Amino acid sequence: MADTANNLKTPTDLNRNDTKSVADALNGILADSYALYLKTKNFHWHVSGPHFRDYHLMLDDQAAQILATTDAIAERVRKTGNTTLRSIGDIARRQTIKDNDADFVSADKMLAELREDNLKLVELLREAKDIVDDAKDNATSGILDDWTDQAEERAWFLFETSRKG
């Protein structure tokens, strides 16, 4: 039987132990990105109330932005010679952002929960930044800055949208 693990080892000049740490951090972020994407879409589908249209459109935009990062995250893992998520079960084992399966969530609670989830993602991205910088993975480091900025912007929009008055 052929060693299939070696079939996926993309050549890289980065240290293999360092890239494993990078891949672990990125796979965690990828799992949380999928969890956040699905929660954002869930809330987009189920939002109700006087600001329905505005919230519905904002959440759809945010979900699309989150989903757009997932391929880039997985490709960074592969470019460093590692493997990425393979299934819903793999996502569930790695995610730290909690699902919300409630039958009804008020719009205010949706916005607050998504704001906190995006801030959690920012925290994870900053932790990953330290890991990739230690690994001298400049390409991942630069992209993490963009993803951090996007998550901070989503949290800001959710905060401002939820303010009263």
Side-chain angles (χ1 to χ4, degrees):
M1 178 177 219
D3 182 6
T4 56
N6 284 328
N7 291 337
L8 293 176
K9 287 203 174 174
T10 304
T12 179
D13 66 333
L14 297 170
N15 177 292
R16 288 289 176 191
N17 289 332
D18 290 343
T19 64
K20 179 71 172 117
S21 296
V22 168
D24 288 343
L26 290 179
N27 278 324
I29 289 166
L30 183 57
D32 279 327
S33 294
Y34 277 119
L36 182 57
Y37 163 75
L38 191 55
K39 183 187 285 187
T40 304
K41 280 304 266 192
N42 170 33
F43 288 171
H44 156 80
W45 294 322
H46 295 103
V47 70
S48 63
H51 301 286
F52 166 79
R53 185 175 192 286
D54 293 333
Y55 295 170
H56 182 76
L57 294 174
M58 179 183 68
L59 295 177
D60 197 36
D61 288 345
Q62 289 194 356
Q65 184 185 63
I66 295 163
L67 184 61
T69 66
T70 59
D71 193 52
I73 296 167
E75 288 181 359
R76 278 310 308 157
V77 172
R78 290 291 296 122
K79 288 175 189 175
T80 63
N82 291 282
T83 58
T84 192
L85 303 179
R86 299 183 185 278
S87 67
I88 298 296
D90 202 2
I91 291 168
R93 285 186 293 276
R94 295 173 191 252
Q95 79 183 76
T96 61
I97 291 176
K98 303 294 182 216
D99 295 330
N100 186 324
D101 295 325
D103 288 339
F104 178 80
V105 180
S106 70
D108 288 346
K109 292 208 184 303
M110 287 178 178
L111 298 179
E113 188 171 332
L114 290 174
R115 181 183 68 245
E116 291 307 312
D117 289 341
N118 276 282
L119 292 173
K120 170 68 175 171
L121 186 59
V122 167
E123 181 182 319
L124 296 170
L125 290 162
R126 288 196 173 117
E127 290 171 8
K129 176 83 170 174
D130 291 338
I131 293 167
V132 302
D133 287 348
D134 288 345
K136 297 184 178 10
D137 183 353
N138 298 354
T140 303
S141 183
I143 297 170
L144 281 169
D145 293 337
D146 292 337
W147 297 332
T148 302
D149 183 58
Q150 290 175 14
E152 286 176 330
E153 183 175 88
R154 289 190 303 269
W156 171 45
F157 274 50
L158 290 159
F159 169 73
E160 289 298 340
T161 302
S162 66
R163 290 177 66 169
K164 304 292 183 218

